[in-house]
Amino acid sequence: MQQMSFVVWNQTSLGVGEDAEPWTLTVQMMQNPQILAALQERLDGLNGSPSGYIESLPKVVKRRVNALKNLQVKCAHIEAKFYEEVHELERKYAALYQPLFDKRSDIVKAAYEPTDEECEWKADEEEELTEEMKEKAKLEEEKKDEEKEDPKGIPEFWLTVFKNVDLLSDMLQEHDEPILKHLQDIKVKFSDPGQPMSFTLEFHFEPNDFFTNTVLTKTYKMRSEPDENDPFSFDGPEIICCTGCTIDWTKGKNVTLKTIKKKQKHKGRGTVRTVTKTVPNDSFFNFFTPPEVPENGELDEDSEAVLAADFEIGHFIRERIVPRAVLYFTGEAIEDDDDDYDEEGEEADDEEGEEEADEENDPDYDPKVRSQTHTDAHTSPPFVKISGVLRETLLSSSQLCWPTTLSP
């Protein structure tokens, strides 16, 4: 039998009195990071430790276990059908949401001015205000509006959304912002009935000086069927590939490229010349040119990391950003995420810091070896950097099966 070691904690070490109630003691224990770490260590040690019991079963029993496995495969195929019907429901309700999203777009780009009734919103702080205070606040607000120019719609709506979300702001560069000020709407389009499962993100832009496109698209193809070679790994729809679009840049405005100058010295004569080269540049708009997946499906590590991050971002925009854009614009959706994940994120950061410190103090530590197994945000393609907290939020709430290689 496997031996287990336990860490013994007394009431004094937990900071509670000897007469503390059992429930109080339990709560204190579960809030103690040392105890939680010890428990997690024991649980980690138990995971993935076959007992040998299955191998010891008689042949007739193993035969019945195989029958159970075949039943499980049939369950996986039924589950696949379930997700296909969920996708059909998504398409149905997307059509119901769309008129509301269209009206949101019209308000943002000043195509429609909402009525006073549509603009009424009772904020929590207004509940305690007296009528006199409300009237005074209203007059002050009107006075401010008179002093300012009359803005059209909601300026920089989508740019503000992007800047408020770490997952998206990490993709933005300073030279992207003037372009994204022209972004008027983001729409999600689902595949037609009977077609392979997919969705397309449409980024609608007003006429601008940077490119001639009015719509930039990104299409994600999904698979919702068990793998014949590994049916037990099926856990819902999986994004298998994505395709972007060609951006018709105005001459000299392509922010995904930059020009650099290098000096070259002739080996024989010793003369120096200046060479101008065009190289890739970090930009949000690299999002529309993802790596192509070869026919054999094999990718190098950098491309696999880029696609993994890309799939996360695409799903996040579809599931969170488009349906709740105004809450990301105001920051209310961000506050909800922070309330749920801040503490966990800080603990993760601390653990990572301790790990790095241990590596540096290790006389056998070779940074070159570590760099082979950790994606470096500075050497990875431009949109691989992803907030850990938001990534955990996405993975814990998503039904999609993301590829295993993710940007740390």
Side-chain angles (χ1 to χ4, degrees):
M1 181 178 294
Q2 184 180 12
Q3 294 183 344
M4 296 183 64
S5 60
F6 294 89
V7 179
V8 179
W9 303 86
N10 57 38
Q11 290 174 296
T12 303
S13 66
L14 292 171
V16 298
E18 294 182 359
D19 57 345
E21 294 292 332
W23 173 247
T24 303
L25 184 60
T26 302
V27 171
Q28 292 290 335
M29 288 177 64
M30 297 311 295
Q31 292 178 344
N32 189 302
Q34 293 174 296
I35 292 180
L36 292 176
L39 289 172
Q40 186 63 52
E41 184 177 353
R42 293 307 310 154
L43 290 172
D44 289 343
L46 294 174
N47 287 339
S49 302
S51 62
Y53 172 68
I54 301 299
E55 290 75 10
S56 67
L57 291 174
K59 185 176 181 180
V60 64
V61 177
K62 289 182 179 179
R63 180 173 173 273
R64 295 170 189 144
V65 171
N66 289 338
L68 296 184
K69 285 185 174 182
N70 285 324
L71 291 176
Q72 189 63 44
V73 171
K74 292 181 180 180
C75 287
H77 284 282
I78 292 175
E79 186 180 6
K81 291 293 184 184
F82 164 77
Y83 283 116
E84 287 176 7
E85 293 195 20
V86 168
H87 186 67
E88 290 302 310
L89 277 176
E90 283 185 309
R91 286 196 326 100
K92 173 184 174 181
Y93 280 90
L96 299 178
Y97 285 127
Q98 196 54 52
L100 302 178
F101 294 157
D102 288 342
K103 194 166 189 178
R104 177 182 70 187
S105 176
D106 288 342
I107 293 173
V108 167
K109 63 186 182 183
Y112 172 77
E113 184 62 35
T115 64
D116 291 342
E117 183 180 356
E118 290 174 320
C119 293
E120 284 184 9
W121 181 262
K122 190 175 183 180
D124 294 337
E125 61 269 16
E126 291 181 359
E127 294 178 1
E128 301 177 1
L129 295 178
T130 64
E131 289 298 324
E132 183 180 350
M133 294 173 66
K134 288 181 181 178
E135 187 63 28
K136 184 178 179 181
K138 183 179 179 181
L139 291 172
E140 290 180 356
E141 197 68 30
E142 289 176 353
K143 185 178 180 181
K144 288 180 181 178
D145 288 343
E146 290 175 1
E147 293 174 354
K148 296 179 181 178
E149 293 183 10
D150 182 21
K152 303 297 182 184
I154 303 179
E156 302 180 17
F157 179 82
W158 289 103
L159 173 59
T160 303
V161 170
F162 277 45
K163 293 172 75 171
N164 281 348
V165 179
D166 287 347
L167 185 66
L168 302 177
S169 66
D170 284 346
M171 301 163 63
L172 297 185
Q173 305 297 322
E174 187 175 347
H175 48 251
D176 294 324
E177 296 188 14
I179 309 175
L180 289 171
K181 289 180 181 180
H182 297 284
L183 179 58
Q184 294 185 317
D185 198 12
I186 303 177
K187 295 181 179 181
V188 180
K189 296 293 179 68
F190 292 93
S191 54
D192 294 331
Q195 296 297 316
M197 192 182 294
S198 68
F199 68 91
T200 299
L201 300 177
E202 295 183 351
F203 295 74
H204 291 254
F205 288 83
E206 65 182 351
N208 60 80
D209 296 332
F210 299 93
F211 45 72
T212 58
N213 311 65
T214 56
V215 181
L216 301 181
T217 60
K218 187 72 170 287
T219 299
Y220 293 86
K221 295 182 180 179
M222 297 182 289
R223 176 176 57 208
S224 182
E225 56 186 24
D227 186 337
E228 292 182 2
N229 298 322
D230 187 16
F232 303 131
S233 65
F234 180 74
D235 194 25
E238 175 186 15
I239 296 178
I240 54 175
C241 68
C242 60
T243 54
C245 67
T246 300
I247 302 178
D248 299 319
W249 293 99
T250 304
K251 186 176 180 180
K253 299 287 187 177
N254 188 347
V255 295
T256 65
L257 299 174
K258 64 180 178 180
T259 301
I260 60 172
K261 293 182 178 181
K262 283 189 174 183
K263 291 185 177 181
Q264 293 181 342
K265 187 174 182 179
H266 194 279
K267 294 180 180 179
R269 296 192 298 269
T271 55
V272 177
R273 67 173 182 174
T274 301
V275 178
T276 301
K277 295 179 65 176
T278 301
V279 297
N281 191 27
D282 290 352
S283 170
F284 162 77
F285 292 92
N286 289 317
F287 179 68
F288 297 98
T289 53
E292 292 185 7
V293 179
E295 292 183 2
N296 60 11
E298 295 182 4
L299 294 166
D300 57 55
E301 290 185 6
D302 281 348
S303 296
E304 192 173 346
V306 171
L307 284 178
D310 187 294
F311 293 171
E312 283 193 65
I313 294 163
H315 184 67
F316 191 84
I317 292 174
R318 164 194 155 178
E319 288 290 313
R320 299 289 193 87
I321 299 300
V322 172
R324 309 178 69 203
V326 66
L327 300 182
Y328 284 99
F329 175 79
T330 62
E332 293 166 84
I334 304 298
E335 292 171 5
D336 291 342
D337 290 340
D338 289 345
D339 289 342
D340 292 337
Y341 291 94
D342 263 353
E343 185 175 347
E344 181 180 341
E346 289 169 6
E347 291 177 1
D349 290 343
D350 291 342
E351 292 172 4
E352 184 178 344
E354 292 173 5
E355 180 183 344
E356 290 179 357
D358 292 341
E359 289 173 340
E360 291 173 0
N361 294 328
D362 185 354
D364 298 326
Y365 169 61
D366 184 352
K368 294 181 180 178
V369 174
R370 184 178 188 275
S371 66
Q372 295 173 359
T373 56
H374 290 70
T375 305
D376 187 340
H378 296 291
T379 59
S380 300
F383 52 83
V384 174
K385 297 179 288 181
I386 296 178
S387 164
V389 173
L390 281 172
R391 181 174 65 191
E392 292 302 320
T393 304
L394 173 61
L395 295 178
S396 63
S397 65
S398 170
Q399 293 177 328
L400 294 189
C401 312
W402 298 111
T404 54
T405 305
L406 294 175
S407 169

Coordinates of all heavy atoms in Angstrom, one line a residue, residues 215-286:
V215 N -14.2 46.0 -44.7 CA -14.4 44.9 -43.7 C -13.1 44.0 -43.8 O -12.7 43.6 -44.8 CB -15.6 44.0 -44.1 CG1 -15.8 42.9 -43.1 CG2 -16.9 44.9 -44.1
L216 N -12.6 43.7 -42.6 CA -11.5 42.7 -42.5 C -12.1 41.4 -41.8 O -12.9 41.6 -40.8 CB -10.4 43.2 -41.6 CG -9.7 44.5 -42.1 CD1 -8.5 44.9 -41.2 CD2 -9.2 44.3 -43.6
T217 N -11.8 40.2 -42.3 CA -12.4 39.0 -41.7 C -11.4 38.0 -41.2 O -10.2 38.0 -41.6 CB -13.2 38.3 -42.8 OG1 -12.4 38.0 -43.9 CG2 -14.3 39.2 -43.3
K218 N -11.8 37.2 -40.3 CA -11.0 36.1 -39.7 C -12.0 35.0 -39.5 O -13.0 35.1 -38.8 CB -10.4 36.5 -38.4 CG -9.4 35.5 -37.8 CD -8.1 35.5 -38.6 CE -7.1 34.7 -37.9 NZ -6.5 35.4 -36.7
T219 N -11.8 33.8 -40.2 CA -12.7 32.7 -40.1 C -12.0 31.5 -39.4 O -10.8 31.2 -39.6 CB -13.1 32.2 -41.5 OG1 -13.7 33.3 -42.2 CG2 -14.0 31.0 -41.5
Y220 N -12.8 31.0 -38.5 CA -12.3 29.8 -37.7 C -13.1 28.6 -38.0 O -14.3 28.6 -37.9 CB -12.4 30.1 -36.2 CG -11.5 31.2 -35.7 CD1 -11.9 32.6 -35.8 CD2 -10.2 30.9 -35.2 CE1 -11.0 33.6 -35.4 CE2 -9.4 31.9 -34.7 CZ -9.8 33.3 -34.8 OH -9.0 34.3 -34.4
K221 N -12.4 27.5 -38.4 CA -13.1 26.3 -38.7 C -13.0 25.3 -37.5 O -11.9 25.2 -36.9 CB -12.5 25.6 -40.0 CG -12.7 26.4 -41.2 CD -12.1 25.7 -42.4 CE -12.4 26.5 -43.7 NZ -11.8 25.9 -44.9
M222 N -14.1 24.7 -37.2 CA -14.2 23.8 -36.0 C -14.5 22.4 -36.4 O -15.1 22.1 -37.5 CB -15.2 24.4 -35.0 CG -14.8 25.7 -34.5 SD -16.0 26.3 -33.3 CE -17.4 26.6 -34.3
R223 N -14.1 21.5 -35.5 CA -14.5 20.1 -35.7 C -15.2 19.6 -34.4 O -14.8 19.9 -33.3 CB -13.2 19.3 -35.9 CG -13.4 17.7 -36.0 CD -12.1 17.0 -36.3 NE -11.1 17.3 -35.3 CZ -9.8 17.3 -35.6 NH1 -9.4 17.1 -36.8 NH2 -8.9 17.6 -34.6
S224 N -16.3 18.9 -34.6 CA -17.0 18.4 -33.5 C -17.3 16.9 -33.6 O -18.5 16.5 -33.7 CB -18.4 19.2 -33.3 OG -19.1 18.7 -32.2
E225 N -16.3 16.1 -33.7 CA -16.4 14.7 -33.8 C -15.2 14.0 -33.1 O -14.1 14.6 -33.2 CB -16.5 14.2 -35.2 CG -15.4 14.7 -36.1 CD -15.6 14.3 -37.6 OE1 -16.8 14.2 -38.0 OE2 -14.7 14.2 -38.3
P226 N -15.4 12.9 -32.5 CA -14.2 12.2 -31.8 C -13.2 11.8 -32.9 O -13.5 11.4 -34.0 CB -14.9 11.0 -31.2 CG -16.4 11.4 -31.1 CD -16.7 12.2 -32.3
D227 N -11.9 11.9 -32.4 CA -10.8 11.4 -33.3 C -10.9 9.8 -33.2 O -10.9 9.2 -32.2 CB -9.5 11.9 -32.7 CG -8.3 11.5 -33.5 OD1 -8.4 10.6 -34.3 OD2 -7.3 12.2 -33.4
E228 N -10.9 9.3 -34.4 CA -10.9 7.8 -34.5 C -9.8 7.1 -33.7 O -10.0 6.0 -33.2 CB -10.9 7.3 -36.0 CG -12.2 7.7 -36.7 CD -12.1 7.2 -38.2 OE1 -11.2 6.5 -38.5 OE2 -13.1 7.4 -38.9
N229 N -8.6 7.8 -33.7 CA -7.5 7.2 -33.1 C -7.4 7.5 -31.6 O -6.7 6.8 -30.8 CB -6.2 7.7 -33.7 CG -6.1 7.3 -35.2 OD1 -6.4 6.2 -35.6 ND2 -5.6 8.2 -36.0
D230 N -8.2 8.5 -31.1 CA -8.2 8.8 -29.7 C -9.6 9.4 -29.3 O -9.7 10.5 -29.0 CB -7.1 9.8 -29.4 CG -6.9 10.1 -27.9 OD1 -7.4 9.3 -27.1 OD2 -6.3 11.1 -27.6
P231 N -10.6 8.5 -29.4 CA -12.0 9.0 -29.2 C -12.2 9.5 -27.7 O -13.1 10.4 -27.5 CB -12.8 7.8 -29.5 CG -12.0 6.6 -29.2 CD -10.6 7.1 -29.7
F232 N -11.4 9.0 -26.8 CA -11.7 9.4 -25.4 C -11.2 10.8 -25.1 O -11.5 11.4 -24.0 CB -11.0 8.4 -24.4 CG -11.5 7.0 -24.6 CD1 -10.6 6.0 -24.7 CD2 -12.9 6.7 -24.7 CE1 -11.0 4.7 -24.9 CE2 -13.3 5.4 -24.9 CZ -12.4 4.4 -25.0
S233 N -10.4 11.4 -26.0 CA -10.0 12.8 -25.8 C -11.0 13.8 -26.2 O -10.8 15.0 -25.9 CB -8.7 13.0 -26.6 OG -9.0 13.0 -28.0
F234 N -12.1 13.4 -26.8 CA -13.1 14.3 -27.2 C -13.8 15.0 -26.0 O -14.2 14.4 -25.1 CB -14.2 13.6 -28.0 CG -15.3 14.5 -28.5 CD1 -15.0 15.4 -29.6 CD2 -16.5 14.6 -27.9 CE1 -16.0 16.3 -30.0 CE2 -17.5 15.4 -28.4 CZ -17.3 16.3 -29.4
D235 N -13.8 16.4 -26.1 CA -14.4 17.2 -25.0 C -15.1 18.4 -25.6 O -15.1 19.5 -25.0 CB -13.3 17.6 -24.0 CG -13.9 18.1 -22.7 OD1 -15.0 17.8 -22.4 OD2 -13.2 19.0 -22.1
G236 N -15.7 18.2 -26.7 CA -16.5 19.3 -27.3 C -15.8 19.8 -28.6 O -14.7 19.3 -29.0
P237 N -16.4 20.8 -29.2 CA -15.9 21.4 -30.5 C -14.4 21.9 -30.3 O -14.1 22.4 -29.3 CB -16.8 22.5 -30.8 CG -18.1 22.2 -30.1 CD -17.7 21.5 -28.9
E238 N -13.7 21.7 -31.4 CA -12.3 22.1 -31.4 C -12.0 22.9 -32.6 O -12.3 22.5 -33.7 CB -11.4 20.8 -31.4 CG -9.9 21.1 -31.5 CD -9.1 19.8 -31.6 OE1 -9.7 18.7 -31.9 OE2 -7.9 19.8 -31.5
I239 N -11.4 24.1 -32.4 CA -10.9 24.9 -33.5 C -9.7 24.3 -34.2 O -8.7 24.0 -33.5 CB -10.6 26.3 -33.1 CG1 -11.9 27.0 -32.6 CG2 -10.0 27.1 -34.3 CD1 -11.6 28.4 -32.1
I240 N -9.8 24.0 -35.5 CA -8.7 23.2 -36.1 C -7.9 24.1 -37.0 O -6.7 23.8 -37.3 CB -9.3 22.0 -36.9 CG1 -10.3 22.5 -37.9 CG2 -9.8 21.0 -36.0 CD1 -10.9 21.4 -38.8
C241 N -8.4 25.2 -37.5 CA -7.6 26.1 -38.4 C -8.3 27.5 -38.5 O -9.5 27.6 -38.2 CB -7.3 25.5 -39.7 SG -8.8 25.4 -40.8
C242 N -7.6 28.4 -39.0 CA -8.2 29.8 -39.2 C -7.6 30.4 -40.4 O -6.4 30.1 -40.8 CB -8.0 30.7 -38.0 SG -6.3 31.0 -37.5
T243 N -8.3 31.3 -41.1 CA -7.9 32.0 -42.3 C -8.2 33.5 -42.1 O -9.2 33.8 -41.6 CB -8.5 31.5 -43.5 OG1 -9.9 31.5 -43.4 CG2 -8.1 30.0 -43.8
G244 N -7.2 34.3 -42.5 CA -7.4 35.7 -42.4 C -7.9 36.3 -43.7 O -8.6 35.7 -44.5
C245 N -7.4 37.5 -44.0 CA -7.8 38.2 -45.3 C -6.6 39.0 -45.7 O -5.7 39.3 -44.9 CB -9.0 39.0 -45.1 SG -8.8 40.4 -44.0
T246 N -6.7 39.5 -46.9 CA -5.6 40.4 -47.5 C -6.0 41.8 -47.2 O -7.2 42.2 -47.4 CB -5.5 40.2 -49.0 OG1 -5.1 38.9 -49.3 CG2 -4.4 41.2 -49.5
I247 N -5.1 42.6 -46.6 CA -5.4 44.0 -46.3 C -4.8 44.8 -47.4 O -3.6 44.7 -47.7 CB -4.8 44.4 -44.9 CG1 -5.4 43.5 -43.8 CG2 -5.1 45.9 -44.6 CD1 -4.8 43.8 -42.4
D248 N -5.6 45.6 -48.0 CA -5.1 46.5 -49.1 C -4.6 47.8 -48.6 O -5.4 48.8 -48.5 CB -6.3 46.7 -50.1 CG -6.8 45.4 -50.7 OD1 -6.0 44.5 -51.0 OD2 -8.0 45.2 -50.9
W249 N -3.4 47.8 -48.2 CA -2.8 48.9 -47.5 C -2.6 50.1 -48.5 O -2.2 49.9 -49.6 CB -1.5 48.6 -46.9 CG -1.6 47.6 -45.7 CD1 -1.4 46.3 -45.7 CD2 -1.9 47.9 -44.4 NE1 -1.6 45.7 -44.5 CE2 -1.9 46.7 -43.6 CE3 -2.3 49.1 -43.7 CZ2 -2.2 46.7 -42.3 CZ3 -2.6 49.1 -42.3 CH2 -2.6 47.9 -41.6
T250 N -2.8 51.3 -48.0 CA -2.4 52.5 -48.8 C -0.9 52.5 -48.8 O -0.2 52.2 -47.8 CB -3.0 53.7 -48.1 OG1 -4.4 53.6 -48.1 CG2 -2.6 55.0 -48.9
K251 N -0.3 53.0 -49.8 CA 1.2 53.1 -49.9 C 1.8 53.8 -48.8 O 1.4 54.9 -48.4 CB 1.6 53.7 -51.2 CG 3.1 53.7 -51.5 CD 3.4 54.3 -52.9 CE 5.0 54.3 -53.1 NZ 5.3 54.8 -54.4
G252 N 2.7 53.2 -48.1 CA 3.4 53.8 -47.0 C 2.7 53.7 -45.7 O 3.2 54.2 -44.6
K253 N 1.5 53.0 -45.6 CA 0.7 53.0 -44.4 C 0.7 51.6 -43.7 O 0.0 51.4 -42.7 CB -0.7 53.4 -44.7 CG -0.8 54.8 -45.2 CD -0.6 55.8 -44.1 CE -0.9 57.3 -44.6 NZ -0.7 58.3 -43.5
N254 N 1.4 50.6 -44.3 CA 1.3 49.3 -43.8 C 2.1 49.1 -42.5 O 3.3 49.1 -42.5 CB 1.9 48.3 -44.8 CG 1.7 46.8 -44.5 OD1 1.4 46.5 -43.3 ND2 2.0 45.9 -45.4
V255 N 1.4 49.0 -41.4 CA 2.0 49.0 -40.1 C 2.6 47.6 -39.7 O 3.2 47.5 -38.7 CB 1.0 49.5 -39.0 CG1 0.6 51.0 -39.2 CG2 -0.2 48.6 -38.9
T256 N 2.3 46.6 -40.5 CA 2.8 45.3 -40.2 C 4.2 45.1 -40.8 O 4.8 44.1 -40.6 CB 1.9 44.2 -40.8 OG1 1.9 44.3 -42.3 CG2 0.5 44.3 -40.3
L257 N 4.7 46.1 -41.5 CA 6.1 46.1 -42.0 C 6.8 47.4 -41.6 O 6.2 48.4 -41.4 CB 6.1 46.0 -43.5 CG 5.5 44.8 -44.1 CD1 5.4 44.9 -45.7 CD2 6.2 43.5 -43.8
K258 N 8.1 47.3 -41.4 CA 8.9 48.4 -41.1 C 10.2 48.4 -41.9 O 10.7 47.3 -42.3 CB 9.2 48.6 -39.6 CG 10.0 47.4 -39.0 CD 10.3 47.6 -37.5 CE 11.0 46.5 -36.9 NZ 11.2 46.7 -35.5
T259 N 10.8 49.5 -42.1 CA 12.0 49.6 -42.9 C 13.2 49.9 -41.9 O 13.1 50.8 -41.1 CB 11.9 50.8 -43.9 OG1 10.8 50.5 -44.8 CG2 13.2 50.9 -44.7
I260 N 14.2 49.1 -42.0 CA 15.4 49.3 -41.2 C 16.6 49.5 -42.1 O 16.7 49.1 -43.2 CB 15.6 48.1 -40.2 CG1 15.9 46.8 -41.0 CG2 14.5 48.0 -39.3 CD1 16.3 45.7 -40.2
K261 N 17.6 50.2 -41.6 CA 18.8 50.4 -42.3 C 20.0 49.7 -41.6 O 20.1 49.8 -40.3 CB 19.1 51.9 -42.4 CG 18.1 52.7 -43.3 CD 18.5 54.1 -43.4 CE 17.5 54.9 -44.4 NZ 17.9 56.3 -44.5
K262 N 20.8 49.0 -42.3 CA 21.9 48.3 -41.8 C 23.2 48.7 -42.5 O 23.2 48.9 -43.7 CB 21.7 46.8 -41.8 CG 20.8 46.2 -40.8 CD 20.8 44.7 -40.8 CE 20.0 44.1 -39.7 NZ 20.0 42.6 -39.7
K263 N 24.3 48.8 -41.7 CA 25.6 49.1 -42.3 C 26.3 47.8 -42.6 O 26.4 47.0 -41.7 CB 26.4 50.0 -41.4 CG 25.8 51.5 -41.3 CD 26.7 52.4 -40.5 CE 26.2 53.8 -40.5 NZ 27.0 54.7 -39.7
Q264 N 26.9 47.7 -43.8 CA 27.6 46.5 -44.1 C 29.0 46.9 -44.5 O 29.2 47.8 -45.3 CB 27.0 45.7 -45.3 CG 25.6 45.1 -44.9 CD 25.0 44.4 -46.1 OE1 25.4 44.6 -47.3 NE2 24.1 43.5 -45.8
K265 N 30.0 46.2 -44.0 CA 31.4 46.5 -44.3 C 32.0 45.4 -45.3 O 31.8 44.2 -45.0 CB 32.2 46.4 -43.0 CG 33.7 46.9 -43.2 CD 34.4 47.0 -41.8 CE 35.8 47.5 -42.0 NZ 36.5 47.6 -40.7
H266 N 32.6 45.9 -46.3 CA 33.1 45.0 -47.3 C 34.4 44.3 -46.7 O 35.3 45.0 -46.2 CB 33.5 45.7 -48.6 CG 33.8 44.9 -49.8 ND1 35.0 44.2 -49.9 CD2 33.0 44.5 -50.8 CE1 35.0 43.5 -51.0 NE2 33.8 43.7 -51.6
K267 N 34.4 43.0 -46.8 CA 35.6 42.2 -46.2 C 36.9 42.6 -46.8 O 37.9 42.7 -46.1 CB 35.3 40.7 -46.4 CG 34.1 40.2 -45.6 CD 33.9 38.7 -45.7 CE 32.7 38.2 -44.9 NZ 32.5 36.8 -45.1
G268 N 36.9 42.8 -48.1 CA 38.2 43.0 -48.8 C 38.6 44.5 -48.7 O 39.7 44.8 -48.3
R269 N 37.7 45.3 -49.3 CA 38.1 46.8 -49.4 C 37.9 47.5 -48.1 O 38.5 48.6 -47.9 CB 37.3 47.4 -50.5 CG 37.5 46.8 -51.9 CD 36.9 47.6 -53.0 NE 35.5 47.7 -52.9 CZ 34.7 46.8 -53.5 NH1 35.2 45.8 -54.2 NH2 33.4 46.9 -53.3
G270 N 37.1 47.0 -47.2 CA 36.9 47.7 -45.9 C 35.9 48.9 -46.1 O 35.7 49.6 -45.1
T271 N 35.3 49.0 -47.2 CA 34.3 50.1 -47.4 C 33.0 49.8 -46.7 O 32.6 48.6 -46.6 CB 34.0 50.4 -48.9 OG1 33.6 49.2 -49.5 CG2 35.3 50.9 -49.6
V272 N 32.2 50.8 -46.3 CA 31.0 50.6 -45.6 C 29.8 51.1 -46.5 O 29.9 52.2 -47.1 CB 31.0 51.3 -44.3 CG1 29.6 51.1 -43.6 CG2 32.1 50.7 -43.4
R273 N 28.8 50.3 -46.6 CA 27.6 50.8 -47.3 C 26.3 50.6 -46.4 O 26.3 49.7 -45.5 CB 27.4 50.0 -48.6 CG 27.1 48.5 -48.4 CD 26.8 47.9 -49.8 NE 26.4 46.5 -49.6 CZ 25.9 45.7 -50.5 NH1 25.8 46.2 -51.8 NH2 25.6 44.4 -50.3
T274 N 25.3 51.4 -46.7 CA 24.0 51.3 -45.9 C 23.0 50.5 -46.8 O 22.7 50.9 -47.9 CB 23.5 52.7 -45.6 OG1 24.5 53.3 -44.8 CG2 22.2 52.6 -44.8
V275 N 22.4 49.5 -46.2 CA 21.4 48.7 -46.9 C 20.1 48.9 -46.2 O 20.0 48.8 -45.0 CB 21.8 47.2 -46.9 CG1 20.7 46.4 -47.5 CG2 23.1 47.0 -47.5
T276 N 19.0 49.1 -47.0 CA 17.7 49.3 -46.5 C 16.9 48.0 -46.7 O 16.9 47.4 -47.8 CB 16.9 50.4 -47.2 OG1 17.7 51.6 -47.0 CG2 15.6 50.6 -46.6
K277 N 16.3 47.5 -45.6 CA 15.5 46.2 -45.6 C 14.1 46.4 -45.1 O 13.9 47.2 -44.1 CB 16.2 45.1 -44.8 CG 17.6 44.7 -45.4 CD 18.2 43.6 -44.6 CE 17.4 42.3 -44.6 NZ 18.1 41.3 -43.8
T278 N 13.2 45.7 -45.6 CA 11.8 45.7 -45.0 C 11.6 44.4 -44.3 O 11.8 43.3 -44.8 CB 10.8 45.8 -46.2 OG1 11.0 47.0 -46.9 CG2 9.4 45.8 -45.6
V279 N 11.2 44.6 -43.0 CA 11.1 43.4 -42.1 C 9.7 43.5 -41.4 O 9.1 44.5 -41.4 CB 12.2 43.4 -41.0 CG1 13.6 43.3 -41.7 CG2 12.1 44.7 -40.2
P280 N 9.2 42.3 -40.9 CA 7.9 42.3 -40.2 C 8.0 43.2 -39.0 O 9.0 43.4 -38.3 CB 7.8 40.9 -39.8 CG 8.6 40.1 -40.8 CD 9.8 41.0 -41.0
N281 N 6.8 43.8 -38.6 CA 6.7 44.7 -37.5 C 5.6 44.2 -36.6 O 4.5 43.7 -37.1 CB 6.4 46.1 -38.1 CG 6.5 47.2 -37.0 OD1 7.3 47.0 -36.0 ND2 5.8 48.3 -37.1
D282 N 5.7 44.4 -35.3 CA 4.7 44.1 -34.4 C 3.4 44.9 -34.6 O 3.5 46.1 -34.7 CB 5.1 44.3 -32.9 CG 6.2 43.3 -32.5 OD1 6.4 42.3 -33.3 OD2 6.8 43.4 -31.4
S283 N 2.3 44.3 -34.7 CA 1.0 45.0 -34.9 C -0.2 44.1 -34.7 O -0.1 42.9 -34.9 CB 1.0 45.5 -36.4 OG -0.3 46.0 -36.7
F284 N -1.2 44.7 -34.2 CA -2.5 44.0 -34.1 C -2.9 43.4 -35.4 O -3.5 42.3 -35.5 CB -3.6 44.9 -33.6 CG -5.0 44.4 -33.8 CD1 -5.5 43.4 -33.0 CD2 -5.8 44.9 -34.8 CE1 -6.8 42.9 -33.2 CE2 -7.1 44.4 -35.0 CZ -7.6 43.4 -34.2
F285 N -2.6 44.1 -36.5 CA -3.1 43.6 -37.8 C -2.4 42.4 -38.3 O -2.8 41.8 -39.4 CB -3.1 44.8 -38.8 CG -4.1 45.9 -38.4 CD1 -3.7 46.9 -37.6 CD2 -5.4 45.8 -38.9 CE1 -4.6 47.9 -37.2 CE2 -6.3 46.8 -38.5 CZ -5.9 47.8 -37.7
N286 N -1.4 41.9 -37.6 CA -0.9 40.6 -38.0 C -1.9 39.5 -37.6 O -1.7 38.4 -38.1 CB 0.4 40.3 -37.2 CG 1.6 41.2 -37.7 OD1 1.8 41.3 -38.8 ND2 2.3 41.8 -36.7

